[in-house]
Amino acid sequence: MSSLHDTAVIKIEDPGPAQISPRLRRGFALAAGVGIVFTVLGLFLEPHRAWSGYLVNYLYFLILGMAGLFLTALHYAAGATWSIPFRRIAESLTRYLPIAALSTVVLVFGFKDIYPWAAGTVHFHRATKTAWFGYGFTAGRLIIFSALWALCGWIFVRRSLNQDAAWRRGAATNWEPRRVPGGFGKIPSFNGRFSAAFLLFFAITFSLAAIDWLMSLEPNWNTTMYAVYIFAGLFEAGLALVLLISVLLRRRGSMGQILRDHHYVDLARMLHAFSIFMVYIGFEQYLLIWYANYPSEAVYYHQRIVGGWGYVLLFLLFAKWVIPFTVLLNQKIRKNEKALIAIASLVLFAEWVDLYWLVMPVTHAHFVLPNWAVIAELLAFLGLFGWAVTSFLARNSPVPVGDPRLVNAVAGDYL
Amino acid sequence: MSQGHPENTAQQHPMALEATPPIYRADMTLTQVTRDIVAPLDRRPNGWWWFGFLISITLLAIGASAVVYQFREGLGILGLTYPEMWGTYIVDFVFWIGIGHAGTLISAILFLFRQRWRTAINRAAEAMTIFAVVCAGLFPLLHVGRTLLAYWLIPYPNFRQLWVNFRSPLIWDVFAVSTYATVSLLFWYLGMVPDLATVRDHKPGKWARRVYGFFAMNWRGTARDWHHYESAYGMLAAIATPLVLSVHSNVSMDFATSTAPGWHSTIFPPYFVAGAIFSGFAMVITLMVIVRKIYDLEDYLTVDHMEMMCKIMLVTSLIVAYAYATEMFNAWYTSDIYERNRFYGVHFGLTWTFFTGPYAYAAALMVICNVLTPQLLWIRRLRRSMPVMFVISLIANLGMWFERYTIIVSSQARQFLPSSFGYYRPTRFDYAVLAGSFGLFFTLFLLFVRFVPVIAVAEVKAVLRQPVGEPAAVMEESHA
């Protein structure tokens, strides 16, 4: 047994800003620039395909940014200790959210090319639903939601950086959950309360937005699991991205002595668990629709299985669940950085493919590879996302050094 | 381990490890733990125990007589009539199987999450799970009418080459519930073996020693015993974890695989699981508030433990609320008129809406009990108050029964043809059998607290000298 509790004093070194090469950041900026030029070209030359591709790429990176926000809020709301070393990385993802909010504004211009209800090819027989999918109302709520998410992200990051600054000054902060006198229960801090409120807000707004973004591609088709499915993808991809970034930063020596093997083990275990959650949600939705075999409902999967799209679904099954599940079962692999990089990258790629598979079959009966316009959009958003995240990490410490319980997290002394 | 860059290490603050408080009182000794938990088994039961036992056994007798009467007269004595062919028996089945979910969640999932506070509640929660599954299992057997032929549900080679319909979710239920019952029972019994040995060593009587000794399977407490015990326990926890999700998902599929409006909804599986955990924790809270009081176990089932359970209840209540909201939104959003009618339809001047129709009382109770009252648990003072959480947990269980009633009964009343609309009235026999299941549940639970240590003595001792969390690094080492 190690003598964790004998070491009453653990030195927390401030690793300083992350070691991110300026070349990488320049690369992201260049990708964004080139991508944006070709995206604009695509949107004008091939509007139909390019706008669908825009939706895929816009959603993919927005979901990754939202995953950072969600994981941060979840961390605070649960009063968790084990996840403190990863918190700043999750926070860094939220730096993309203002850009995402701006791209929501751009998306509004593509409504007519993306959504049948905006193009006027579908008419609802009810005034309330017609009003719900009014151009202005839909655009308005999506823009307001994404702006509010960006604001919440800003509040979390602001408070977290202030806490670091206070620690550097040697001042004490009182922002962490306190213990109940004489017991082990915790009294939540402001962050905990704010996070709980945010999670409620997130559940409502993200579900409505998921319906607007994706389910309304087929406005007369609906299922109650839909938002949960998108959320399951967000959760799995978010854990994978936080894991990927932390492994890459630690390999470059940017995490100091703070991130240790046991943190990997725990985060990889979470990824393992939520890969099961993903397949659970996806499979249950599929099973129930297949079983009931309502023509109006089953058409959704029919469209996404015939014409070669079924192979994509099969790939998703393996990339999102079978491979992560079987590989991460092994306790030793959860510490193996190369394996973690591979698994996290696979899951992240699969999330993109998932969105592609959700969006593209609506307009393409047969499987199509992404064309130049879609790839340009991917490049543009990847550049913007990467630039936002790396710029933040290059200026700030990639671990929340000011968190008074960071030392417990380093020692593996949880709860 | 990689090193920070030299220019970055200017900032160095030694930080003291925040003292992690122990789960149980710091001055507690190992002997005292054994004494406190095992002692009640040696004493004669007090008046409260007899009072509860008498009521439970009376209820059980009432239910049993109703069942005997049903065997004689047939299912006609119940409120079942077209279109309501699934009545309170199915409601009760879903209700009890839901209650049974807290035990496995506490023993398996909280174990894997290294939540060491679970040591105080896991034994009782697991026992409760098994008794709830026993109650649940009775209802489908009674519901099929010809109970003696229920063994036809089991696929076995037979002369007529008749097999069960493997594509029916009802058959999946048979497999899921029996697997769940088996694994829960094994898990519960395995966890109890060291404690049964403790009781064996403390019992004065020769016969008591023999009986406990038999069930303790010759446990000696050697290092080898413990090693095997712990690896088996960890393995069973891993096996039991998917069961927490699968069983109630399966139960939800009894409804969701159909095309019936109000039943066919893809969110049912996770929604049912969350509801099950909600009701299960409500029942654990109900029981633990009583047990800690009458057995003087306030030092073990501390306010912090109870607060933790209240938090889980609050979270699952919010998930359930989310599912209700999704259903209501979807019923408005959908293009399927039958689904819309189920919630918001108007027929023949009758408003068959969810909240004003004949079943409005059940829908209202469901929302008030499962969504509104649990919101009180946001307030710290309330979720640390025993009377408050006791009342909220009772209300939650009432609400969860009515949730199932709303889903199962009121959906059947509003299917495709308005001419086939109906209204379901449970008869006194329905209520008698429901009361009987409560009688069975509490009888078994009271016998359990009488004969088995209600708290896992060995597990409490194991965490007595350790702070709350299990150091991850230690876990790693022990795995390696």
Side-chain angles (χ1 to χ4, degrees), chain B residues 360-402:
Chain B
Y361 72 95
L365 271 176
M366 158 184 133
V367 172
I368 292 168
C369 301
N370 302 339
V371 179
L372 298 181
T373 38
Q375 303 308 314
L376 292 173
L377 298 173
W378 282 101
I379 303 161
R380 231 184 104 244
R381 206 156 44 85
L382 295 184
R383 67 170 181 255
R384 291 179 73 84
S385 147
M386 293 304 136
V388 171
M389 75 171 77
F390 186 67
V391 172
I392 290 179
S393 70
L394 287 178
I395 292 176
N397 269 316
L398 178 77
M400 285 312 287
W401 194 83
F402 274 101

Side-chain angles (χ1 to χ4, degrees), chain A residues 76-349:
Chain A
Y76 282 127
T81 306
W82 73 274
S83 48
I84 291 172
F86 299 111
R87 202 186 73 215
R88 182 59 50 74
I89 293 167
E91 286 167 356
S92 75
L93 305 182
T94 67
R95 276 301 151 128
Y96 169 71
L97 288 177
I99 302 174
L102 285 178
S103 25
T104 310
V105 178
V106 178
L107 179 77
V108 170
F109 293 99
F111 272 8
K112 277 203 166 61
D113 286 296
I114 303 174
Y115 298 109
W117 48 263
T121 50
V122 166
H123 290 286
F124 305 115
H125 300 294
R126 282 173 296 149
T128 46
K129 200 168 170 183
T130 312
W132 178 263
F133 282 122
Y135 212 107
F137 187 39
T138 315
R141 65 173 177 264
L142 283 180
I143 292 170
I144 290 171
F145 289 167
S146 35
L148 286 175
W149 295 332
L151 178 70
C152 291
W154 183 82
I155 293 172
F156 277 122
V157 174
R158 189 80 238 140
R159 288 182 62 83
S160 181
L161 292 180
N162 281 348
Q163 195 180 35
D164 277 14
W167 178 79
R168 290 205 179 86
R169 285 198 309 272
T173 51
N174 194 19
W175 297 345
E176 292 309 311
R178 283 174 295 130
R179 295 281 177 188
V180 174
F184 65 88
K186 281 177 192 163
I187 304 173
S189 60
F190 170 84
N191 283 340
R193 287 168 224 256
F194 181 70
S195 299
F198 167 77
L199 288 174
L200 292 183
F201 170 75
F202 167 79
I204 297 165
T205 51
F206 189 77
S207 305
L208 289 175
I211 291 167
D212 290 344
W213 285 325
L214 291 166
M215 204 162 89
S216 77
L217 287 168
E218 289 134 316
N220 281 321
W221 181 87
N222 64 280
T223 177
T224 40
M225 187 82 105
Y226 203 82
V228 184
Y229 180 84
I230 306 300
F231 165 73
L234 174 149
F235 210 150
E236 195 187 0
L239 290 169
L241 185 57
V242 171
L243 187 58
L244 180 67
I245 297 178
S246 59
V247 173
L248 292 177
L249 286 179
R250 187 176 151 184
R251 282 166 79 89
R252 294 183 66 84
S254 291
M255 303 298 270
Q257 300 279 348
I258 288 162
L259 195 67
R260 300 188 177 188
D261 277 355
H262 60 82
H263 296 123
Y264 281 165
V265 172
D266 283 340
L267 190 58
R269 187 176 285 152
M270 286 290 279
L271 180 60
H272 191 236
F274 281 91
S275 79
I276 304 174
F277 180 67
M278 178 76 231
V279 75
Y280 168 69
I281 297 294
F283 174 70
E284 294 285 6
Q285 178 173 272
Y286 177 82
L287 177 76
L288 292 175
I289 289 175
W290 168 80
Y291 203 114
N293 207 11
Y294 250 146
S296 64
E297 205 178 49
V299 65
Y300 174 83
Y301 278 110
H302 183 261
Q303 237 178 344
R304 283 165 179 77
I305 287 173
V306 296
W309 289 108
Y311 297 108
V312 182
L313 178 58
L314 211 60
F315 167 78
L316 288 177
L317 177 67
F318 275 85
K320 284 190 137 183
W321 179 59
V322 176
I323 297 172
F325 177 81
T326 38
V327 171
L328 292 178
L329 266 178
N330 188 327
Q331 186 88 9
K332 285 208 181 85
I333 287 193
R334 294 187 192 149
K335 289 182 231 172
N336 180 331
E337 293 187 332
K338 280 190 185 130
L340 291 180
I341 291 174
I343 289 293
S345 313
L346 178 69
V347 168
L348 283 168
F349 175 60

Side-chain angles (χ1 to χ4, degrees), chain A residues 1-2 4-5 8-15 19 126 128-129 132-133 167 179-180 183-185 187 196 200 203 207-208 211 215-216 219-220 222-225 227 250 253 256-257 259 261-262 266 269 280 284-285 287-292 294 297 335 403-405 407-408 412-415, chain B residues 1-5 8-9 11-18 20-21 23 114-115 117 167-169 172 249 253 256-259 264-267 269-270 273 302 304-305 308 311 318 322 326-327 329-330 332-336 340 378 380 384 416 467-474 476-477 479:
Chain A
M1 291 291 236
S2 75
L4 287 168
H5 296 281
V9 173
I10 287 182
K11 283 210 173 86
I12 294 289
E13 293 173 13
D14 185 354
Q19 304 296 310
R126 282 173 296 149
T128 46
K129 200 168 170 183
W132 178 263
F133 282 122
W167 178 79
R179 295 281 177 188
V180 174
F184 65 88
I187 304 173
L200 292 183
S207 305
L208 289 175
I211 291 167
M215 204 162 89
S216 77
N220 281 321
N222 64 280
T223 177
T224 40
M225 187 82 105
R250 187 176 151 184
Q257 300 279 348
L259 195 67
D261 277 355
H262 60 82
D266 283 340
R269 187 176 285 152
Y280 168 69
E284 294 285 6
Q285 178 173 272
L287 177 76
L288 292 175
I289 289 175
W290 168 80
Y291 203 114
Y294 250 146
E297 205 178 49
K335 289 182 231 172
D403 194 311
R405 289 178 308 147
V407 59
N408 295 58
D413 186 13
Y414 298 156
L415 205 85
Chain B
M1 182 81 56
S2 45
Q3 296 291 326
H5 277 244
N8 292 333
T9 49
Q11 289 284 339
Q12 274 201 20
H13 288 239
M15 290 172 99
L17 211 59
E18 180 203 4
T20 325
I23 309 179
R114 303 198 296 261
Q115 298 288 315
W117 58 274
R167 274 170 72 155
S168 163
W172 306 343
S249 301
M253 278 190 247
T257 48
S258 73
T259 53
H264 179 63
S265 174
T266 48
I267 206 173
V273 171
T302 64
D304 291 317
H305 285 94
M308 288 286 198
K311 281 184 180 171
L318 289 169
Y322 173 83
T326 308
E327 291 266 293
F329 177 84
N330 185 67
W332 166 79
Y333 180 92
T334 182
S335 308
D336 180 26
R340 278 217 301 283
W378 282 101
R380 231 184 104 244
R384 291 179 73 84
F416 300 97
V468 188
E470 178 167 2
V474 176
E476 254 174 67
E477 268 176 33
H479 275 285

Side-chain angles (χ1 to χ4, degrees), chain B residues 13 60 183 239 244 296 309 316 324 327 367 370 419 433 439 456 472:
Chain B
H13 288 239
L60 178 57
V183 173
I239 293 171
V244 180
D296 289 329
M309 289 196 275
T316 44
Y324 294 168
E327 291 266 293
V367 172
N370 302 339
S419 60
V433 178

